[in-house]
Amino acid sequence: MRKNSLPHHLVALWFADIAGYSARVVEDERGALQLVEILQALSRSTVQRHEGRVVKFLGDAVLAEFPSTEMAVRAAAVLSKAYAEQSAKTGRAHDLRIGVHLGDVAVDADGDLYGDGVNAAARIEAAVNPGQVVVSEDVWRQIRGREGFRFEPFGNRNLKGVGSIDLYVVTLDESLAATEERSQPGEQRKERIRSIAVLPFADLSAERDQEHFSDGVAEEILNALSKVAGLHVPARTSCFAFRGATLDAREIGKRLGVEALLDGSIRKAGKRVRISVQLVDANNGYQLWSERFDREIEDIFAIQDEIARSVLESLGLALTEREEFRFLKPSTTNIEAYEFYLRGRKLYHKWTRQSVKFARQMFERAVKIDPDFTAAWAGLANAYVDLFRWSRKPRDLDEAKRASENALKLNPNSAEAHVSAGQALAIQRRFPEAANAFERAIKEDPTVYEAYYFYGRALFESGDVEKAVELFEKAQQVRPDDYESHTLRAQALTELGREDEARQANQATVECIEKHLELNPDEARAYSLGASVLIRLGQNERSKQWTQQAMNLAPADPLVLYNAACNWALLGETDHALDGLERAIEAGVAVADWIKHDPDFESLRNHPRFRAIVKRITPP
């Protein structure tokens, strides 16, 4: 698209950059990168607070736009002062330059800006002395008579591509600066914020190869906060969908339905780790709290705990005695083992056969390094359970049992270990023992979603569908934005013949999946599960579209193939459904008890070929 065909509008905008940055990188790369982190964190919060938008970061530079010149100048002055204070802690002189201009710009589909207005702001910024905020004559004319601003002539400059232009140095007088400080959110917001999203922390390591580590730290904090009563925390899948998003805090908060956001960045180098983190009010973009940690990597557990507790303090929340007992209790102090565990967990979240195999390898390396690492043993048990579901190899089941037993020996009070044991028992069809394990997990930690979800699945498979409904409802209460528990509850209600409840549950499930797909448009499983629900609501054509979309996204995924077979069965396409079920079993689906009780196959129950398939995959 040609730039002259893009929509144009008049905006106030500024460029900011760090003077002498290139030379500083040569002199002290770590120190220079720290300044960039300070500038980016302060820019995000300051721009949002003044109703603007960060257009983009360009190395050590920032381009931002605002709906008014006054807000642009205020934001620039506040940023300059805040940067001076924080950069001084690193032993550096105030070296930030900001140029403010009012001009016509073109906007592309991604929100980037082009045109003479952008060029002029960049040229003004380049002419500024370190530590100054300088505005163009157009900006000065707009706000020269307004209270709180002080201007000094900077002289006439002949700027390349801009021409001759008068410039002015601007500062805020003390009274306005004090007002800005008082306008920071305080006690009046603490009591109101009871929902928070933890966004993925950016990996700023030199090689950009530590995403597993930055994700792991963010997820540990997310999991810890989700255990606090009265605090709603969206699931990882919802929060991490905003990785790399350029949306401001208010838009992200609106989409996730939360009042606060926690985000940050991590730079890991050798035995050192630097974490910058900020808590932002999603209603107005104000920064509630921020901190930077520059410590040895062995301090990572203490840093995670400190961040989570600081968030709670900022929100005016306190832990109960029981919450304190289970709040961020690491089951290893070995950093090398912990890193392999985080790699395994990231791979396991992808939940494909290949990724689970790789996850198993990472968990095995973790427990080899630290044989007392409970969480890694539990992760290893889960991986082997899933591999057994796909392959039905007895060795995988034996290894799952061994890993879950080791986890429980190490920590009989670990909810995660009891969930792993429950899954291993359920897949052996030892349902009463599995129920005991899941009940113990819930007793140890009633906030663990997996305990309710997999307990519900085990009950469904064993035929106790009534109680399965209750468990899926509890899973939804723990994680309201999870579509899988919604889907299975609707299935169970259908199996019970509770038609009115089932219809309501199906409608709620579709709404939940639609919201999930807004954040995760390429998730095949969501389309796949949702397609069956749409059929039950009479939306057959839309169901076919969703089934096809799932098959396009993941043509070899066994669950996608299985759900496609379910959909064809619901649509009355018997041969197509049976063929699809055969393909799903070939791909790795082999849960006979589940298939026998799946209401989607009601029309096939008495079909000789369906009976033969079930008999073939039922353990002796």
Side-chain angles (χ1 to χ4, degrees):
M1 181 181 289
R2 300 189 311 274
K3 291 179 183 177
N4 60 9
S5 68
L6 297 173
H8 285 242
H9 62 253
L10 187 68
V11 297
L13 68 163
W14 48 247
F15 255 103
D17 87 336
I18 301 170
Y21 178 76
S22 297
R24 185 161 295 168
V25 170
V26 175
E27 175 189 337
D28 177 13
E29 182 179 10
R30 173 180 286 187
L33 291 172
Q34 186 176 4
L35 293 177
V36 171
E37 292 172 9
I38 293 171
L39 175 59
Q40 292 189 358
L42 288 174
S43 295
R44 290 189 184 98
S45 59
T46 303
V47 170
Q48 290 172 0
R49 194 164 68 245
H50 291 82
E51 302 178 11
R53 177 178 72 94
V54 172
V55 178
K56 58 186 172 184
F57 294 109
L58 298 161
D60 66 313
V62 184
L63 173 63
E65 67 166 343
F66 299 83
S68 75
T69 51
E70 180 173 348
M71 297 304 283
V73 175
R74 285 192 184 192
V78 169
L79 173 64
S80 181
K81 180 181 178 183
Y83 178 86
E85 293 171 351
Q86 293 205 23
S87 63
K89 297 176 184 178
T90 70
R92 299 291 181 179
H94 185 14
D95 51 7
L96 188 66
R97 306 180 298 188
I98 307 178
V100 189
H101 185 55
L102 179 68
D104 183 67
V105 297
V107 189
D108 70 10
D110 295 323
D112 205 355
L113 304 184
Y114 301 92
D116 293 338
V118 177
N119 179 59
R123 296 299 184 188
I124 293 169
E125 175 270 319
V128 174
N129 296 324
Q132 289 184 327
V133 177
V134 171
V135 304
S136 66
E137 184 176 8
D138 288 339
V139 173
W140 174 76
R141 289 182 186 279
Q142 290 276 330
I143 61 173
R144 58 183 174 178
R146 299 189 188 180
E147 184 179 356
F149 296 101
R150 293 179 178 175
F151 297 97
E152 295 181 9
F154 190 65
N156 183 275
R157 295 289 192 276
N158 190 8
L159 304 179
K160 183 178 179 181
V162 178
S164 179
I165 185 172
D166 288 330
L167 302 177
Y168 297 83
V169 178
V170 64
T171 56
L172 299 182
D173 67 24
E174 293 302 319
S175 62
L176 185 55
T179 300
E180 288 283 349
E181 291 176 3
R182 288 196 300 271
S183 70
Q184 299 296 318
E187 299 298 324
Q188 71 275 15
R189 286 291 293 138
K190 287 183 180 179
E191 293 304 319
R192 195 160 63 84
I193 294 180
R194 288 296 178 268
S195 57
I196 180 174
V198 181
L199 303 181
F201 288 7
D203 172 25
L204 297 184
S205 301
E207 302 299 325
R208 297 296 192 270
D209 60 349
Q210 296 296 314
E211 187 172 276
H212 69 281
F213 189 80
S214 56
D215 277 7
V217 171
E219 188 175 356
E220 293 278 18
I221 296 167
L222 184 155
N223 290 339
L225 294 175
S226 67
K227 299 181 186 300
V228 179
L231 185 63
H232 168 59
V233 185
R236 176 191 186 278
T237 50
S238 298
C239 296
F240 281 32
F242 289 92
R243 184 190 307 279
T246 57
L247 300 172
D248 69 21
R250 290 163 292 186
E251 181 62 25
I252 295 175
K254 181 180 178 181
R255 295 192 185 189
L256 289 174
V258 297
E259 298 170 290
L261 304 174
L262 182 73
D263 70 357
S265 62
I266 296 183
R267 180 179 300 280
K268 183 171 168 286
K271 295 183 178 181
R272 300 288 298 181
V273 62
R274 179 181 300 138
I275 301 178
S276 297
V277 64
Q278 66 170 348
L279 178 66
V280 176
D281 188 327
N283 292 283
N284 52 34
Y286 282 27
Q287 188 180 81
L288 297 167
W289 166 81
S290 67
E291 188 58 84
R292 290 191 309 280
F293 305 87
D294 193 347
R295 300 183 188 172
E296 296 292 328
I297 189 68
E298 285 78 9
D299 290 335
I300 188 62
F301 306 111
I303 295 172
Q304 290 172 171
D305 186 79
E306 189 172 337
I307 291 172
R309 291 177 187 276
S310 295
V311 169
L312 294 179
E313 182 180 350
S314 297
L315 301 182
L317 293 170
L319 296 173
T320 65
E321 184 176 349
R322 188 174 185 184
E323 289 166 349
E324 183 70 54
F325 178 75
R326 61 175 182 258
F327 192 75
L328 273 173
K329 302 294 184 184
S331 55
T332 186
T333 56
N334 187 298
I335 296 300
E336 186 180 7
Y338 185 61
E339 286 213 55
F340 279 117
Y341 169 72
L342 294 182
R343 289 181 187 275
R345 195 165 65 181
K346 184 173 178 64
L347 287 163
Y348 186 76
H349 282 314
K350 296 179 180 179
W351 215 75
T352 65
R353 189 183 300 194
Q354 193 63 35
S355 69
V356 172
K357 284 182 179 179
F358 287 138
R360 179 201 64 195
Q361 294 173 11
M362 296 298 102
F363 291 138
E364 285 175 337
R365 295 184 72 172
V367 297
K368 184 175 182 180
I369 296 167
D370 181 2
D372 296 332
F373 194 172
T374 303
W377 280 113
L380 183 59
N382 293 337
Y384 271 118
V385 165
D386 288 332
L387 291 174
F388 179 73
R389 282 197 180 102
W390 284 316
S391 68
R392 310 307 289 186
K393 292 180 180 178
R395 179 183 176 278
D396 288 336
L397 180 57
D398 291 340
E399 290 297 329
K401 291 160 56 180
R402 183 177 72 88
S404 63
E405 287 168 0
N406 282 341
L408 286 172
K409 285 178 184 177
L410 290 167
N411 185 1
N413 299 320
S414 168
E416 289 76 9
H418 285 289
V419 171
S420 298
Q423 289 194 74
L425 290 164
I427 206 165
Q428 299 171 68
R429 304 174 71 223
R430 294 162 59 182
F431 295 117
E433 294 169 85
N436 290 336
F438 290 126
E439 291 282 1
R440 178 64 184 276
I442 293 168
K443 180 181 178 182
E444 293 296 338
D445 188 348
T447 68
V448 175
Y449 163 84
E450 289 79 8
Y452 300 106
Y453 177 74
F454 287 111
Y455 191 7
R457 288 184 64 98
L459 290 169
F460 190 96
E461 290 179 42
S462 67
D464 191 350
V465 183
E466 191 82 43
K467 192 172 181 181
V469 170
E470 297 177 13
L471 269 296
F472 291 136
E473 286 174 352
K474 290 180 179 178
Q476 288 177 222
Q477 292 168 12
V478 173
R479 196 178 289 174
D481 53 343
D482 178 76
Y483 64 86
E484 293 193 52
S485 55
H486 278 79
T487 304
L488 295 183
R489 177 175 176 270
Q491 278 188 305
L493 288 168
T494 301
E495 173 78 357
L496 291 169
R498 291 156 60 175
E499 295 182 5
D500 290 342
E501 291 178 80
R503 185 165 191 82
Q504 292 176 5
N506 284 322
Q507 187 59 54
T509 299
V510 170
E511 292 172 2
C512 182
I513 291 176
E514 287 173 337
K515 183 176 180 180
H516 182 86
L517 288 171
E518 287 179 9
L519 304 177
N520 304 273
D522 296 328
E523 187 165 326
R525 191 173 305 165
Y527 282 109
S528 180
L529 288 173
S532 297
V533 182
L534 288 170
I535 293 172
R536 291 196 287 271
L537 290 172
Q539 301 179 35
N540 292 357
E541 288 305 314
R542 192 180 182 202
S543 172
K544 292 178 182 179
Q545 293 173 2
W546 278 27
T547 298
Q548 189 59 54
Q549 180 71 352
M551 297 285 283
N552 291 342
L553 289 168
D557 186 301
L559 287 182
V560 169
L561 291 169
Y562 176 82
N563 291 327
C566 291
N567 299 340
W568 290 319
L570 289 169
L571 292 170
E573 300 181 19
T574 301
D575 291 337
H576 206 178
L578 291 168
D579 290 343
L581 185 56
E582 292 275 14
R583 287 198 298 272
I585 291 170
E586 290 173 7
V589 171
V591 186
D593 287 301
W594 185 271
I595 294 172
K596 283 192 292 187
H597 292 289
D598 195 330
D600 292 347
F601 292 129
E602 184 62 35
S603 64
L604 305 180
R605 291 270 186 261
N606 297 319
H607 195 287
R609 187 176 167 195
F610 180 80
R611 288 182 172 182
I613 291 172
V614 172
K615 183 178 180 180
R616 187 172 75 247
I617 63 175
T618 300

